[in-house]
Amino acid sequence: MHRRTVLGGLFAVASVPALSACASGITSLNGQGSGTGGGGSSKGGVTIGTANFTENQVLGYLYAAALKGAGVKVTVRPNLGTREIVIPALRGGDIDLLPEYQGALLNYLDPKATPTESGEMQNTLTQALPAGLQVLPYGIAEDSDAFVVTRETAKKYGLTSLADLKKQNGKLVIGAAPEVKKRQVGAVGLQDVYGVEFKEFKSLDSDGPLVKGALQKGDVDVANLFTTDTDIQANGWVVLTDPAHLIPSQHIVPLIADRKADDTVRKALARLGNLLTTAQLTELNRQVDKDKKDPADVADAYARQHGLVK
């Protein structure tokens, strides 16, 4: 579920578009989102896109189940790729809705933004979004980036925090998705914030079998994974702490085009956001990655169990 799909030229990799301020920001599920819409309608259906890793696909199908339960016609286009692909697709009208992560999205839009607390981040996101897009209220569940080492590597080099990596400059190999090499919550930020320099950056996949296999075999010393990944605990891997707060809050947040953000969509996604916990999301990821279940089936089963669909 971590492969990358090439979409026949539909989505060109684009640079971050010019940003324009939106109106206002609400910071909790009791609010109404970023409030830039007003003329949106889901009557013609909503197309949901997802990034190219398991959890985002699960979230996309959860969004679909919640919207179907509210009577909205839904199409899911999973596994499209990274933000460099899916956000231009959202702006261009090829898709209408994305499951996103507060801190990572803000860093993509404005790498110099400093908020790390969820409420402040939601307001800052509202101001950073391109015209025509808005974030709806963020949910309970969250999933952050994590930089992980094996117990053996932690013991060998005395690693407990990201700050410790600097002591081994030029010695360690990091493995991650290719885009992490250029991201603030990645190699750039590790150097800027902690002064870390790696021997090599290996471009692998996003929290998938390639990067986890490389970590397990010792082909990389440090891996960029997600905190909801059950393999971390199962393998006894060590998540390096982040004393300088490089990694921001990462609550799940719907990113939607104004054209589709009507009350029906808002209420359905807020209901899901109020319901889905981090522990539940972690378990759904496990069912896909470990039990090899289809993400659509996993999401539908959760939606039925929790009354999102009849």
PDB file of all heavy atoms in Angstrom, residues 70-93:
ATOM      1  N   ALA A  70     -23.775  10.426   5.317  1.00  0.00           N
ATOM      2  CA  ALA A  70     -24.538  11.679   5.318  1.00  0.00           C
ATOM      3  C   ALA A  70     -25.253  11.913   3.993  1.00  0.00           C
ATOM      4  O   ALA A  70     -25.826  12.985   3.783  1.00  0.00           O
ATOM      5  CB  ALA A  70     -23.592  12.849   5.620  1.00  0.00           C
ATOM      6  N   GLY A  71     -25.170  10.935   3.101  1.00  0.00           N
ATOM      7  CA  GLY A  71     -25.893  11.028   1.834  1.00  0.00           C
ATOM      8  C   GLY A  71     -25.128  11.683   0.706  1.00  0.00           C
ATOM      9  O   GLY A  71     -25.718  12.033  -0.323  1.00  0.00           O
ATOM     10  N   VAL A  72     -23.826  11.837   0.855  1.00  0.00           N
ATOM     11  CA  VAL A  72     -23.017  12.474  -0.183  1.00  0.00           C
ATOM     12  C   VAL A  72     -22.430  11.408  -1.106  1.00  0.00           C
ATOM     13  O   VAL A  72     -21.892  10.394  -0.644  1.00  0.00           O
ATOM     14  CB  VAL A  72     -21.868  13.299   0.448  1.00  0.00           C
ATOM     15  CG1 VAL A  72     -20.994  13.930  -0.637  1.00  0.00           C
ATOM     16  CG2 VAL A  72     -22.427  14.376   1.372  1.00  0.00           C
ATOM     17  N   LYS A  73     -22.520  11.628  -2.397  1.00  0.00           N
ATOM     18  CA  LYS A  73     -21.884  10.740  -3.376  1.00  0.00           C
ATOM     19  C   LYS A  73     -20.378  10.965  -3.326  1.00  0.00           C
ATOM     20  O   LYS A  73     -19.913  12.113  -3.360  1.00  0.00           O
ATOM     21  CB  LYS A  73     -22.428  11.025  -4.773  1.00  0.00           C
ATOM     22  CG  LYS A  73     -21.838  10.127  -5.851  1.00  0.00           C
ATOM     23  CD  LYS A  73     -22.405  10.484  -7.224  1.00  0.00           C
ATOM     24  CE  LYS A  73     -21.764   9.615  -8.309  1.00  0.00           C
ATOM     25  NZ  LYS A  73     -22.277   9.967  -9.673  1.00  0.00           N
ATOM     26  N   VAL A  74     -19.598   9.867  -3.257  1.00  0.00           N
ATOM     27  CA  VAL A  74     -18.166   9.986  -3.036  1.00  0.00           C
ATOM     28  C   VAL A  74     -17.375   9.127  -4.020  1.00  0.00           C
ATOM     29  O   VAL A  74     -17.772   8.005  -4.345  1.00  0.00           O
ATOM     30  CB  VAL A  74     -17.798   9.555  -1.596  1.00  0.00           C
ATOM     31  CG1 VAL A  74     -16.300   9.580  -1.389  1.00  0.00           C
ATOM     32  CG2 VAL A  74     -18.472  10.451  -0.576  1.00  0.00           C
ATOM     33  N   THR A  75     -16.255   9.671  -4.470  1.00  0.00           N
ATOM     34  CA  THR A  75     -15.253   8.918  -5.230  1.00  0.00           C
ATOM     35  C   THR A  75     -13.933   9.044  -4.492  1.00  0.00           C
ATOM     36  O   THR A  75     -13.582  10.138  -4.039  1.00  0.00           O
ATOM     37  CB  THR A  75     -15.088   9.480  -6.656  1.00  0.00           C
ATOM     38  OG1 THR A  75     -16.344   9.414  -7.338  1.00  0.00           O
ATOM     39  CG2 THR A  75     -14.043   8.701  -7.436  1.00  0.00           C
ATOM     40  N   VAL A  76     -13.205   7.947  -4.352  1.00  0.00           N
ATOM     41  CA  VAL A  76     -11.892   7.980  -3.703  1.00  0.00           C
ATOM     42  C   VAL A  76     -10.815   7.691  -4.733  1.00  0.00           C
ATOM     43  O   VAL A  76     -10.896   6.709  -5.483  1.00  0.00           O
ATOM     44  CB  VAL A  76     -11.800   6.958  -2.552  1.00  0.00           C
ATOM     45  CG1 VAL A  76     -10.425   7.037  -1.890  1.00  0.00           C
ATOM     46  CG2 VAL A  76     -12.888   7.210  -1.522  1.00  0.00           C
ATOM     47  N   ARG A  77      -9.803   8.551  -4.761  1.00  0.00           N
ATOM     48  CA  ARG A  77      -8.629   8.338  -5.617  1.00  0.00           C
ATOM     49  C   ARG A  77      -7.425   8.173  -4.699  1.00  0.00           C
ATOM     50  O   ARG A  77      -6.781   9.152  -4.328  1.00  0.00           O
ATOM     51  CB  ARG A  77      -8.446   9.512  -6.570  1.00  0.00           C
ATOM     52  CG  ARG A  77      -9.680   9.807  -7.401  1.00  0.00           C
ATOM     53  CD  ARG A  77      -9.408  10.787  -8.516  1.00  0.00           C
ATOM     54  NE  ARG A  77      -8.547  10.193  -9.520  1.00  0.00           N
ATOM     55  CZ  ARG A  77      -8.267  10.765 -10.689  1.00  0.00           C
ATOM     56  NH1 ARG A  77      -8.767  11.940 -10.974  1.00  0.00           N
ATOM     57  NH2 ARG A  77      -7.480  10.171 -11.548  1.00  0.00           N
ATOM     58  N   PRO A  78      -7.116   6.941  -4.316  1.00  0.00           N
ATOM     59  CA  PRO A  78      -6.067   6.715  -3.325  1.00  0.00           C
ATOM     60  C   PRO A  78      -4.672   6.717  -3.922  1.00  0.00           C
ATOM     61  O   PRO A  78      -4.496   6.583  -5.139  1.00  0.00           O
ATOM     62  CB  PRO A  78      -6.420   5.316  -2.796  1.00  0.00           C
ATOM     63  CG  PRO A  78      -7.016   4.626  -3.980  1.00  0.00           C
ATOM     64  CD  PRO A  78      -7.778   5.694  -4.726  1.00  0.00           C
ATOM     65  N   ASN A  79      -3.681   6.895  -3.023  1.00  0.00           N
ATOM     66  CA  ASN A  79      -2.285   6.641  -3.374  1.00  0.00           C
ATOM     67  C   ASN A  79      -1.762   7.546  -4.491  1.00  0.00           C
ATOM     68  O   ASN A  79      -0.995   7.114  -5.341  1.00  0.00           O
ATOM     69  CB  ASN A  79      -2.150   5.173  -3.795  1.00  0.00           C
ATOM     70  CG  ASN A  79      -0.767   4.633  -3.556  1.00  0.00           C
ATOM     71  OD1 ASN A  79      -0.126   4.941  -2.553  1.00  0.00           O
ATOM     72  ND2 ASN A  79      -0.293   3.826  -4.474  1.00  0.00           N
ATOM     73  N   LEU A  80      -2.148   8.806  -4.484  1.00  0.00           N
ATOM     74  CA  LEU A  80      -1.768   9.697  -5.575  1.00  0.00           C
ATOM     75  C   LEU A  80      -0.320  10.168  -5.491  1.00  0.00           C
ATOM     76  O   LEU A  80       0.298  10.460  -6.505  1.00  0.00           O
ATOM     77  CB  LEU A  80      -2.697  10.927  -5.606  1.00  0.00           C
ATOM     78  CG  LEU A  80      -4.186  10.639  -5.825  1.00  0.00           C
ATOM     79  CD1 LEU A  80      -4.976  11.932  -5.860  1.00  0.00           C
ATOM     80  CD2 LEU A  80      -4.403   9.834  -7.096  1.00  0.00           C
ATOM     81  N   GLY A  81       0.225  10.285  -4.286  1.00  0.00           N
ATOM     82  CA  GLY A  81       1.597  10.762  -4.158  1.00  0.00           C
ATOM     83  C   GLY A  81       1.738  11.728  -3.003  1.00  0.00           C
ATOM     84  O   GLY A  81       0.957  11.730  -2.054  1.00  0.00           O
ATOM     85  N   THR A  82       2.746  12.583  -3.084  1.00  0.00           N
ATOM     86  CA  THR A  82       3.086  13.505  -2.014  1.00  0.00           C
ATOM     87  C   THR A  82       2.297  14.811  -2.132  1.00  0.00           C
ATOM     88  O   THR A  82       1.544  15.017  -3.091  1.00  0.00           O
ATOM     89  CB  THR A  82       4.584  13.835  -2.058  1.00  0.00           C
ATOM     90  OG1 THR A  82       4.861  14.544  -3.281  1.00  0.00           O
ATOM     91  CG2 THR A  82       5.424  12.556  -2.027  1.00  0.00           C
ATOM     92  N   ARG A  83       2.521  15.724  -1.168  1.00  0.00           N
ATOM     93  CA  ARG A  83       1.847  17.034  -1.218  1.00  0.00           C
ATOM     94  C   ARG A  83       2.193  17.795  -2.487  1.00  0.00           C
ATOM     95  O   ARG A  83       1.387  18.582  -2.981  1.00  0.00           O
ATOM     96  CB  ARG A  83       2.256  17.885  -0.015  1.00  0.00           C
ATOM     97  CG  ARG A  83       1.578  17.485   1.253  1.00  0.00           C
ATOM     98  CD  ARG A  83       1.932  18.354   2.424  1.00  0.00           C
ATOM     99  NE  ARG A  83       1.387  17.722   3.622  1.00  0.00           N
ATOM    100  CZ  ARG A  83       2.045  16.814   4.330  1.00  0.00           C
ATOM    101  NH1 ARG A  83       3.281  16.486   3.994  1.00  0.00           N
ATOM    102  NH2 ARG A  83       1.486  16.251   5.369  1.00  0.00           N
ATOM    103  N   GLU A  84       3.384  17.584  -2.985  1.00  0.00           N
ATOM    104  CA  GLU A  84       3.782  18.272  -4.204  1.00  0.00           C
ATOM    105  C   GLU A  84       2.905  17.881  -5.387  1.00  0.00           C
ATOM    106  O   GLU A  84       2.862  18.585  -6.404  1.00  0.00           O
ATOM    107  CB  GLU A  84       5.259  17.977  -4.503  1.00  0.00           C
ATOM    108  CG  GLU A  84       6.244  18.631  -3.540  1.00  0.00           C
ATOM    109  CD  GLU A  84       6.349  17.951  -2.175  1.00  0.00           C
ATOM    110  OE1 GLU A  84       5.778  16.842  -2.000  1.00  0.00           O
ATOM    111  OE2 GLU A  84       6.991  18.521  -1.271  1.00  0.00           O
ATOM    112  N   ILE A  85       2.191  16.782  -5.254  1.00  0.00           N
ATOM    113  CA  ILE A  85       1.257  16.329  -6.284  1.00  0.00           C
ATOM    114  C   ILE A  85      -0.192  16.607  -5.882  1.00  0.00           C
ATOM    115  O   ILE A  85      -0.968  17.175  -6.656  1.00  0.00           O
ATOM    116  CB  ILE A  85       1.444  14.822  -6.568  1.00  0.00           C
ATOM    117  CG1 ILE A  85       2.816  14.566  -7.199  1.00  0.00           C
ATOM    118  CG2 ILE A  85       0.337  14.285  -7.474  1.00  0.00           C
ATOM    119  CD1 ILE A  85       3.158  13.101  -7.364  1.00  0.00           C
ATOM    120  N   VAL A  86      -0.560  16.223  -4.659  1.00  0.00           N
ATOM    121  CA  VAL A  86      -1.992  16.242  -4.320  1.00  0.00           C
ATOM    122  C   VAL A  86      -2.538  17.646  -4.076  1.00  0.00           C
ATOM    123  O   VAL A  86      -3.710  17.904  -4.370  1.00  0.00           O
ATOM    124  CB  VAL A  86      -2.283  15.330  -3.110  1.00  0.00           C
ATOM    125  CG1 VAL A  86      -2.051  13.879  -3.469  1.00  0.00           C
ATOM    126  CG2 VAL A  86      -1.475  15.727  -1.882  1.00  0.00           C
ATOM    127  N   ILE A  87      -1.731  18.547  -3.561  1.00  0.00           N
ATOM    128  CA  ILE A  87      -2.273  19.891  -3.309  1.00  0.00           C
ATOM    129  C   ILE A  87      -2.502  20.656  -4.614  1.00  0.00           C
ATOM    130  O   ILE A  87      -3.560  21.282  -4.783  1.00  0.00           O
ATOM    131  CB  ILE A  87      -1.395  20.659  -2.308  1.00  0.00           C
ATOM    132  CG1 ILE A  87      -1.540  20.000  -0.923  1.00  0.00           C
ATOM    133  CG2 ILE A  87      -1.790  22.138  -2.244  1.00  0.00           C
ATOM    134  CD1 ILE A  87      -0.790  20.648   0.190  1.00  0.00           C
ATOM    135  N   PRO A  88      -1.590  20.619  -5.579  1.00  0.00           N
ATOM    136  CA  PRO A  88      -1.939  21.198  -6.875  1.00  0.00           C
ATOM    137  C   PRO A  88      -3.162  20.538  -7.514  1.00  0.00           C
ATOM    138  O   PRO A  88      -3.962  21.200  -8.175  1.00  0.00           O
ATOM    139  CB  PRO A  88      -0.674  20.962  -7.710  1.00  0.00           C
ATOM    140  CG  PRO A  88       0.436  20.951  -6.710  1.00  0.00           C
ATOM    141  CD  PRO A  88      -0.149  20.261  -5.518  1.00  0.00           C
ATOM    142  N   ALA A  89      -3.324  19.225  -7.302  1.00  0.00           N
ATOM    143  CA  ALA A  89      -4.506  18.538  -7.834  1.00  0.00           C
ATOM    144  C   ALA A  89      -5.781  19.047  -7.173  1.00  0.00           C
ATOM    145  O   ALA A  89      -6.818  19.202  -7.819  1.00  0.00           O
ATOM    146  CB  ALA A  89      -4.370  17.029  -7.614  1.00  0.00           C
ATOM    147  N   LEU A  90      -5.703  19.324  -5.877  1.00  0.00           N
ATOM    148  CA  LEU A  90      -6.846  19.871  -5.147  1.00  0.00           C
ATOM    149  C   LEU A  90      -7.182  21.262  -5.650  1.00  0.00           C
ATOM    150  O   LEU A  90      -8.353  21.590  -5.887  1.00  0.00           O
ATOM    151  CB  LEU A  90      -6.520  19.907  -3.646  1.00  0.00           C
ATOM    152  CG  LEU A  90      -7.591  20.439  -2.703  1.00  0.00           C
ATOM    153  CD1 LEU A  90      -8.840  19.568  -2.743  1.00  0.00           C
ATOM    154  CD2 LEU A  90      -7.049  20.503  -1.272  1.00  0.00           C
ATOM    155  N   ARG A  91      -6.185  22.072  -5.830  1.00  0.00           N
ATOM    156  CA  ARG A  91      -6.421  23.437  -6.324  1.00  0.00           C
ATOM    157  C   ARG A  91      -6.970  23.430  -7.742  1.00  0.00           C
ATOM    158  O   ARG A  91      -7.784  24.278  -8.114  1.00  0.00           O
ATOM    159  CB  ARG A  91      -5.123  24.242  -6.289  1.00  0.00           C
ATOM    160  CG  ARG A  91      -4.573  24.500  -4.900  1.00  0.00           C
ATOM    161  CD  ARG A  91      -3.511  25.585  -4.943  1.00  0.00           C
ATOM    162  NE  ARG A  91      -4.111  26.889  -5.158  1.00  0.00           N
ATOM    163  CZ  ARG A  91      -3.435  27.960  -5.569  1.00  0.00           C
ATOM    164  NH1 ARG A  91      -2.141  27.876  -5.819  1.00  0.00           N
ATOM    165  NH2 ARG A  91      -4.033  29.116  -5.715  1.00  0.00           N
ATOM    166  N   GLY A  92      -6.511  22.451  -8.542  1.00  0.00           N
ATOM    167  CA  GLY A  92      -6.910  22.402  -9.938  1.00  0.00           C
ATOM    168  C   GLY A  92      -8.261  21.766 -10.189  1.00  0.00           C
ATOM    169  O   GLY A  92      -8.766  21.787 -11.312  1.00  0.00           O
ATOM    170  N   GLY A  93      -8.867  21.171  -9.164  1.00  0.00           N
ATOM    171  CA  GLY A  93     -10.195  20.605  -9.314  1.00  0.00           C
ATOM    172  C   GLY A  93     -10.225  19.128  -9.645  1.00  0.00           C
ATOM    173  O   GLY A  93     -11.302  18.552  -9.856  1.00  0.00           O
TER     174      GLY A  93
END
